[in-house]
Structure formats: structure tokens, C-alpha cells
Amino acid sequence: MSGEPAEEETCDSRVSGEPVDEADAEVCDSCVTCGDVAVAVRVVGLLPDGLARADTGAGTEEISVGLVEVQVGDTVLVHAGEAIAVLGRDYR
């Protein structure tokens, strides 16, 4: 340890590991912990134990819905396999 403060990370430096001039760094819309972004998916089925099947547009995935109350047809925001918000509800 040199006693000097660590360089601030940007999106680009986390991906490449190389420091990036702050003026050239793009705005980071991803999680600072894991680098993932949250995506909107539609709930297509409810499963036991706080889980659901979701249509991602490229197939279906099992997600956790323990943090939100969902119904089949809801559009939810998912980060790291966990639904974190209900964006829209299908009232059909």
C-alpha cells in the first residue's frame, strides 16, 4: 500500500481493468457490485417458494419474486435473477 487514494472506478475501468480518463468515461447504468443491468421481463407462471417463470424475449427463465407481489402477466424489472420492481400489470 502506497498510502495514496485508489483511483475512482468507472464503467470502462471495471470492464477493462485499465484506468480511463474521466472525461472519456461513459455513464454507467449497471450495478456497481456485479456489473449486471436490470431487465424487464413478463411473468408467465408462478412457482412454489417465491419463484416464477419469466419470458425474457429469448426464452423463459426461472426468477425469484420474493421481494415483490406479482401475478401472471406482470412485467417486472429483474436484476441478478431477482425481481426488484413491478413495472406493469396486465389486467386482462
Side-chain angles (χ1 to χ4, degrees), residues 20-21 25 31 33 40-41 48 50 53:
V20 174
D21 181 357
C31 175
T33 304
V41 300
R53 295 294 303 165

Side-chain angles (χ1 to χ4, degrees):
M1 290 192 172
S2 65
E4 293 183 26
E7 290 187 36
E8 185 175 329
E9 283 190 341
T10 64
C11 281
D12 294 331
S13 68
R14 280 199 314 269
V15 171
S16 69
E18 297 295 321
V20 174
D21 181 357
E22 197 63 35
D24 295 331
E26 65 185 66
V27 175
C28 186
D29 290 332
S30 62
C31 175
V32 296
T33 304
C34 68
D36 271 348
V37 294
V39 295
V41 300
R42 181 170 296 262
V43 176
V44 294
L46 298 176
L47 304 170
D49 301 321
L51 299 173
R53 295 294 303 165
D55 179 1
T56 66
T60 60
E61 289 187 26
E62 190 173 288
I63 62 171
S64 171
V65 292
L67 298 178
V68 294
E69 291 184 31
V70 298
Q71 301 171 3
V72 172
D74 287 352
T75 299
V76 296
L77 191 61
V78 176
H79 173 73
E82 183 74 48
I84 57 174
V86 177
L87 298 178
R89 181 153 282 156
D90 185 357
Y91 290 101
R92 286 188 243 168

